[in-house]
């Protein structure tokens, strides 16, 4: 048996993935497990995922989903920007599963703070 020397508390517990959106129905699914995501909200995303956002916070609320199908980590799926309310602004994010940046929606009070 191998025992890990790293502490589980030190490992990142958030994974931020791009949404899997059905082009015909518009249904948003978790790109990791395929579960349909319905309960949209503002999960907190670690600041390291967001680019060019001059805000002094460790976590930023993003319009999107949290997939409840995963036990060991929080899988956050930002909603497509065009699904967000008008009171949200577009910010580029570098997500775990993409090489380039993807736009996400952040509440305007966070940006204007």
């Amino acid at each position: 048996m191998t025992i890990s020397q790293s502490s589980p508390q030190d490992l990142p517990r958030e994974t931020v993935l791009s949404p899997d959106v059905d082009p015909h129905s518009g249904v948003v699914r978790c790109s990791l497990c395929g579960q349909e995501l319905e309960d949209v909200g503002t999960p907190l995303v670690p600041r390291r995922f967001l680019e060019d956002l001059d805000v002094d916070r460790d976590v930023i609320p993003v319009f999107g989903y949290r997939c409840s199908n995963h036990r060991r980590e929080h899988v956050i799926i930002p909603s497509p920007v065009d699904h967000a309310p008008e009171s949200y602004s577009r910010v580029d994010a570098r997500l775990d599963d993409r090489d380039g940046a993807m736009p996400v929606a952040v509440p305007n009070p966070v940006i204007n703070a």
Side-chain angles (χ1 to χ4, degrees):
M1 178 198 299
T2 302
I3 298 174
S4 172
Q5 299 229 354
S6 64
S7 171
Q9 293 83 5
D10 296 336
L11 299 174
R13 303 225 3 117
E14 294 89 7
T15 299
V16 183
L17 302 170
S18 59
D20 182 10
V21 183
D22 185 293
H24 302 291
S25 67
V27 170
V28 178
R29 297 185 180 278
C30 174
S31 53
L32 196 58
C33 70
Q35 175 175 306
E36 184 175 336
L37 303 171
E38 296 176 346
D39 297 328
V40 70
T42 51
L44 297 175
V45 172
R47 172 73 179 83
R48 70 181 182 273
F49 289 106
L50 303 176
E51 300 178 343
D52 301 326
L53 185 60
D54 189 23
V55 176
D56 188 24
R57 291 181 168 197
D58 292 336
V59 291
I60 308 293
V62 172
F63 190 73
Y65 310 88
R66 184 181 302 273
C67 185
S68 61
N69 230 18
H70 308 279
R71 278 186 332 139
R72 296 187 178 217
E73 62 187 340
H74 300 289
V75 176
I76 299 166
I77 312 288
S79 175
V81 174
D82 58 344
H83 292 187
E86 289 182 15
S87 60
Y88 285 68
S89 293
R90 176 185 173 140
V91 175
D92 285 334
R94 188 161 304 278
L95 307 181
D96 284 350
D97 68 339
R98 297 178 63 104
D99 292 328
M102 175 191 154
V104 298
V106 174
N108 283 334
V110 171
I111 293 174
N112 297 330

